[in-house]
Amino acid sequence: MMTNFLMPNRNTNKVAIATGIAALAGVAVICAIPKARKACGEWISNTFENLKSMTAKKNGGSWQEDLEKSEKLKGPVGRRKNTAKIQVPSAGTNAWKDEWTSE
């Protein structure tokens, strides 16, 4: 889209191919040179760390604090119900059969 605005008279396929080749060459240079690769890796990790800290500040806390608060809201561990078991009192009866046969 930018190529249409920058060079409207030229063939856009050639410009797109040249842009793609330049981008690929830049990535190849970064991956080939160890110092550049390390510097780019550090820059990317620092950027993500800054984004994480900014979102944590916006949300008002960290996920560890949220996890602790949620565990407190659940109550004592000894009084919690076992959710692995499905306890239905009428599962063993045949009352459902009577409803279907009467219709």
Side-chain angles (χ1 to χ4, degrees):
M1 186 155 53
M2 289 299 292
T3 56
N4 292 335
F5 293 116
L6 295 175
M7 300 174 201
N9 295 334
R10 294 188 179 192
N11 190 356
T12 56
N13 289 337
K14 290 180 183 177
V15 175
I17 290 171
T19 305
I21 290 173
L24 186 61
V27 170
V29 167
I30 289 172
C31 291
I33 301 172
K35 288 183 180 179
R37 181 175 53 231
K38 184 177 179 182
C40 287
E42 289 174 358
W43 178 77
I44 289 172
S45 66
N46 289 338
T47 303
F48 281 116
E49 288 298 322
N50 291 338
L51 289 174
K52 285 181 187 177
S53 65
M54 287 172 47
T55 55
K57 288 178 184 176
K58 284 183 182 178
N59 293 337
S62 66
W63 65 270
Q64 290 98 348
E65 293 172 359
D66 293 340
L67 183 64
E68 291 172 6
K69 288 178 185 176
S70 67
E71 286 295 322
K72 287 179 184 176
L73 290 174
K74 289 180 184 177
V77 177
R79 297 191 65 200
R80 295 181 191 171
K81 293 182 180 179
N82 185 4
T83 57
K85 286 188 208 173
I86 298 174
Q87 298 176 351
V88 180
S90 64
T93 66
N94 59 359
W96 61 274
K97 289 182 183 178
D98 296 336
E99 291 177 14
W100 286 99
T101 56
S102 64
E103 289 180 2

